[in-house]
Amino acid sequence: MIDFKRTHDCGTLTKKYIGKTVRLSGWVHRRRDHGGLIFIDLRDRFGLTQLIFDPTVCSNAHNDAQNLRSEWVITAKGKVRSRGEGLTNPKLHTGEIEIEVLELTILSRAKTPPFSIADETIEVSEELRLKYRFLDIRRGPILNNLIVRSKAMQVTRRFLDSQGFLEISTPILAKTTPEGARDYLVPSRIYPGNFYALPQSPQIFKQILMVSGMDKYFQIAPCFRDENLRADRQPEFTQIDIELSFETQDPLFRTIEELMQMIFKDTIDADVSSPFKRMEYKECIEKYGTDKPDLRFDMPLTRLDDLIERSEFTILKDQLSTGGCVKALTLKGGAKLSRRQIDELVAFVRPFQLQGLAWMKRTDEGFTSNIVKFFSEDLLNELGSKVEAESGDLILIAAEKESIVNQALDHLRRHLARAFNLIQPNDYQFLWVTDFPMFKLDETTNMIESEHHPFTSPHFDDMDKIDSDPLSVRALAYDLVLNGYEIASGSQRIHDGGLQQKIFHILRMSEEDIQEKFSFFINALSYGTPPHLGIALGLDRIIMILSNTENIRDVIAFPKTQKASDLMLQSPSHAANDQLRELDIALEPSQITWV
Amino acid sequence: MIDFKRTHDCGTLTKKYIGKTVRLSGWVHRRRDHGGLIFIDLRDRFGLTQLIFDPTVCSNAHNDAQNLRSEWVITAKGKVRSRGEGLTNPKLHTGEIEIEVLELTILSRAKTPPFSIADETIEVSEELRLKYRFLDIRRGPILNNLIVRSKAMQVTRRFLDSQGFLEISTPILAKTTPEGARDYLVPSRIYPGNFYALPQSPQIFKQILMVSGMDKYFQIAPCFRDENLRADRQPEFTQIDIELSFETQDPLFRTIEELMQMIFKDTIDADVSSPFKRMEYKECIEKYGTDKPDLRFDMPLTRLDDLIERSEFTILKDQLSTGGCVKALTLKGGAKLSRRQIDELVAFVRPFQLQGLAWMKRTDEGFTSNIVKFFSEDLLNELGSKVEAESGDLILIAAEKESIVNQALDHLRRHLARAFNLIQPNDYQFLWVTDFPMFKLDETTNMIESEHHPFTSPHFDDMDKIDSDPLSVRALAYDLVLNGYEIASGSQRIHDGGLQQKIFHILRMSEEDIQEKFSFFINALSYGTPPHLGIALGLDRIIMILSNTENIRDVIAFPKTQKASDLMLQSPSHAANDQLRELDIALEPSQITWV
């Protein structure tokens, strides 16, 4: 039997091991032949160690080393020695030593990889990287992301377990849930023509667990949505799913804040301060145009409706008279932008249905631009102070329907931050956005709908407005936002049967609708439901932020493309006819062309 | 807003809290009206606490308490006081105190449950319990099993993380794997007529992760098999899945032994000694007739072929001459069994294709039975000492084809242990069964097949027999057995491409077969595969043993019936026509009648 049991991994040996005999096993990362000697960088998950093959020390090993190619797996026994003056590599933990090899065994050979593992700087198409995912992982960045992911999962469970949460696995062969996205279906063989659905989230199950008296539940849960994928979505994704009974928002927020602090500390050694900022949904939209503002830079939106009314700026006043609004934002130091640069900003907002941007520069000479003429001197000064523009700044003004202004300025705000480097690296700005609206009006049907889902509790202070003015009712629904991304969402749930009926009534759901959509769940809630609330954190998004990547596929071991296919497995694929017959499914498979 | 935030849970308060004002929230477990006072046992996951409503203390609370029914959810504020002499309940942690209630609020009412939550002794059909799973969990035993399960998962992850294993989640929307059981399929919408398969295990993925250089991997993985279910199987089940590189059997065994010790200690406070016993497969079959013997009791099988040859026992000798074997087992103290009891044992083995059992009693007077006449005095004494029968024991002898003898005596052995109470409670007997055969002969096709799977490594010592005598080759495959159950299974994998080709050749697999069955996997293995091995532990079975139940549904929060249906969710169910159209599936749903 070949002895391949390592005494050390490839990332451990330093000067203090000099003189020791060791055995290392790993992959040939690089080979260099130099002055009769052969140098191998041997690689494993823990690092690189330099092996040196000297024909005068062991001619057998040196001979065999001549055959070694990249990515072959070998085991080598040898002596740790100093690399000697001027030959050390300070970038490597093992950079001061090398192994003088006395014995070499090839454990397995490797075909030439389709792209270089050793040279990370070579650009490889993502399709090729996904097809050869097992080689892409070896390259380093993906491996590091997976290590971060593993650490984040461990600290999450350790912390929630220590807080008395029970980890309960809920079914994957489940049933259509009321989330509203498209389910993945699984045909039943025993009952042909019937289907399981993969869960879009464990929402129903976790509420049922509260009815069961489980008190505090968590799960790192796989979730499934058969949607047309955007770049940051996957058909299967992962939620840190939490629910607890007899509690309210504040203690849950504290728990999540502590959890996030521990995750950031344990994975990337970042210190996150708490308590996190909080902002009501309404204020958040007013100030940032979005419910997920990036707070790593300032630059709030300022409403100018009243000020514009007092100006001579007819075009903007027309917007106000037709129900629109006027908001501005100030780019610090933006007065130095050229006319062309400002035109580019105007072009940037156009895809968001904003026809234009008015603008003014404030300099030591006062306000300049072709719209200054519509304002009195006093009004200009009032505007300047209102939008906190000082000399050297640029004021950008948008007027349109409120939702359009908000969306466009939100995008513009983030665009400016990127374009003018306003974001510090390793800055983590958390924000709780609270008190989301309970209902919204569907603009086409003019019907009242749930903003979150119909089991979300109204705000305790707004109970008296549910009948009289439902659209003004706030929900006990909250999101956690980090650096402009929604990383968690949750709510207090309704535990009172009477209140639940009232909400269904406002949503104009008939008893029949309710039974069809939620029958067993509504029934379960009628057997003694405790007050409860919960939250779901998007693990993939959190790992993306920790790993500093915009690509969700970088944080999942075996991800799928935007067409929901796995290029490595070549899945989905044809099924055996026998099995389709058992499922009573007859259809012609469409052809897939794999890269 | 109603204040329902507990100061304590229902399992905490003891004498040292007397005089304190507290708030408890929970479910009405029992109500007793007694001498003008109302007593409520309030329940949550942590325990029971007695509330007392005294009209002279608070008439409002007392009035409201008169309306309380079982399983209503309430919150109560009151003072902790001593129950007083003779009224304490030593079975309860809170049994020395009660709460004199000053304020009561009903949080939610409950319909009358279909079975009693408070009285665990009432037998309820499993169908009803599954339909109302959320109520069944409240009853206690299931809740306790789920707590054990959560603890076992935490300790598993904590330990494996501390040993340098990375937790990696592998896809659930995957592809047919070579396990051989039936896959659950998921139709693809984007590529109609193509399917994902839910993984029967992460086997392929974990080996790929070793090729990726992940070094040490684990996952508590959901697995899926669309099989006709036995009582101890579920369509979705859970594996503790482990794989590691550059290692061999011994260190893996030590890791698993330590893991099992920690699980047993942390969940049920049981001390398990290590190292675990080990036995080669061949010896195990010889000695116990099975590869998963229950070692909580002795009673090995003894081969008597040679001894019977020397007797006059023609019927048994005929079995030997036609290729059969003769084995015996000894029931200590069995000489006192009546003729009827022995006849029952003979009847017991018949369903296992054993036509009969010969038997002898050994008493102070010597050997007795109607077969003694076939043996000389010397032979009887030799037999007695061989099967370790002393005065007072019963010897049971079976002769048939070896596989039949083994199967029947294995069942008989376990039957005797149960029938004669040979098993101590809380006894945990682990056994590693090693060196399983590499190949087996399919009796109908006479073809050589893999015993485990074709990626299992032959024993390093048997490499030279692979071509000449493949059926004698041992594999580096092992099971972990606990109390007669296989709780884990694994193997060293082949890492050498040449050896892998040789094994495929022996299995008479053509290049075409290989490509069709394993294409991308075989390709991946050719890019530099480290020596690696792994194991998968059946989490559900381990929790069953820890929870002392024979029913797998008792250890899963939301289990399925033997027809793979979820009685609570009423799943599987009809799918919307729109969605079936998108999937290009046209079929008439079969009707399911729900209980």
Side-chain angles (χ1 to χ4, degrees), chain B residues 8-65:
Chain B
H8 300 83
D9 62 51
C10 294
T12 295
L13 298 173
T14 55
K15 267 184 1 193
K16 71 173 182 189
Y17 293 90
I18 285 170
K20 288 228 157 40
T21 299
V22 297
R23 175 178 290 286
L24 300 186
S25 299
W27 285 261
V28 173
H29 192 62
R30 272 198 203 85
R31 195 187 91 186
R32 296 186 310 283
D33 295 29
H34 190 65
L37 303 174
I38 297 172
F39 296 87
I40 297 283
D41 284 341
L42 191 67
R43 188 193 68 235
D44 65 13
R45 144 153 97 88
F46 307 94
L48 289 174
T49 301
Q50 180 166 294
L51 309 181
I52 177 163
F53 296 83
D54 183 337
T56 66
V57 171
C58 178
S59 65
N60 276 348
H62 182 266
N63 272 339
D64 289 348

Side-chain angles (χ1 to χ4, degrees), chain A residues 440-460:
Chain A
K440 65 183 172 193
L441 210 57
D442 184 296
E443 288 191 5
T444 51
T445 64
N446 214 32
M447 295 276 279
I448 283 189
E449 293 179 349
S450 290
E451 178 78 36
H452 205 60
H453 58 59
F455 309 112
T456 303
S457 174
H459 197 292
F460 298 131

Side-chain angles (χ1 to χ4, degrees), chain B residues 254-505:
Chain B
R254 278 199 300 276
T255 300
I256 300 302
E257 289 171 9
E258 212 178 320
L259 172 62
M260 295 312 300
Q261 288 180 308
M262 296 183 83
I263 289 176
F264 275 71
K265 190 67 191 171
D266 275 29
T267 54
I268 58 166
D269 197 27
D271 291 300
V272 169
S273 64
S274 75
F276 297 166
K277 284 183 198 140
R278 296 190 194 187
M279 197 177 281
E280 287 199 18
Y281 171 85
K282 213 171 160 181
E283 183 190 346
C284 191
I285 296 287
E286 180 64 17
K287 203 164 168 188
Y288 297 105
T290 175
D291 56 6
K292 36 180 195 280
D294 189 340
L295 298 189
R296 286 176 298 177
F297 51 92
D298 208 6
M299 206 193 299
L301 316 188
T302 309
R303 185 178 288 264
L304 297 180
D305 295 5
D306 168 62
L307 196 143
I308 293 296
E309 286 290 7
R310 287 180 282 132
S311 75
E312 307 295 321
F313 200 162
T314 328
I315 308 176
L316 268 56
K317 286 169 82 166
D318 286 353
Q319 288 286 354
L320 290 172
S321 63
T322 56
C325 80
V326 181
K327 285 184 168 185
L329 58 74
T330 300
L331 178 64
K332 289 281 150 196
K336 62 175 185 291
L337 264 62
S338 67
R339 181 61 196 252
R340 215 185 101 202
Q341 284 177 300
I342 295 176
D343 284 347
E344 279 168 11
L345 298 180
V346 175
F348 174 85
V349 297
R350 237 172 242 140
F352 307 106
Q353 297 175 275
L354 198 60
Q355 292 312 311
L357 278 175
W359 57 270
M360 284 185 208
K361 292 177 174 179
R362 185 170 199 174
T363 64
D364 292 343
E365 282 74 49
F367 293 86
T368 62
S369 92
N370 56 0
I371 64 161
V372 169
K373 58 188 177 209
F374 301 129
F375 298 85
S376 69
E377 183 78 22
D378 283 355
L379 212 50
L380 280 176
N381 285 325
E382 186 182 333
L383 188 153
S385 102
K386 196 158 190 174
V387 303
E388 296 184 15
E390 296 164 307
S391 178
D393 297 347
L394 174 69
I395 305 164
L396 295 158
I397 303 170
E400 240 296 355
K401 218 173 69 176
E402 186 148 350
S403 59
I404 291 175
V405 167
N406 282 338
Q407 196 198 10
L409 290 188
D410 166 40
H411 277 92
L412 179 61
R413 185 177 169 271
R414 288 183 282 142
H415 173 70
L416 291 170
R418 277 192 301 272
F420 297 100
N421 284 317
L422 306 182
I423 297 171
Q424 299 300 316
N426 306 322
D427 184 15
Y428 303 102
Q429 294 294 332
F430 289 88
L431 174 72
W432 287 109
V433 180
T434 65
D435 304 287
F436 275 73
M438 181 78 187
F439 304 105
K440 65 183 172 193
L441 211 57
D442 184 296
E443 287 191 6
T444 50
T445 65
N446 213 33
M447 295 276 279
I448 283 188
E449 293 179 348
S450 290
E451 178 78 35
H452 204 59
H453 58 59
F455 310 112
T456 303
S457 174
H459 197 292
F460 299 131
D461 297 342
D462 291 356
M463 292 293 180
D464 54 337
K465 294 192 286 186
I466 292 178
D467 289 312
S468 57
D469 186 9
L471 287 172
S472 80
V473 172
R474 294 165 298 170
L476 289 172
Y478 36 81
D479 280 358
L480 181 58
V481 175
L482 169 57
N483 292 359
Y485 295 103
E486 177 203 314
I487 61 164
S489 186
S491 66
Q492 186 94 33
R493 328 294 182 187
I494 296 171
H495 65 271
D496 179 88
L499 179 58
Q500 186 68 67
Q501 286 302 327
K502 197 176 222 180
I503 300 298
F504 285 145
H505 181 75

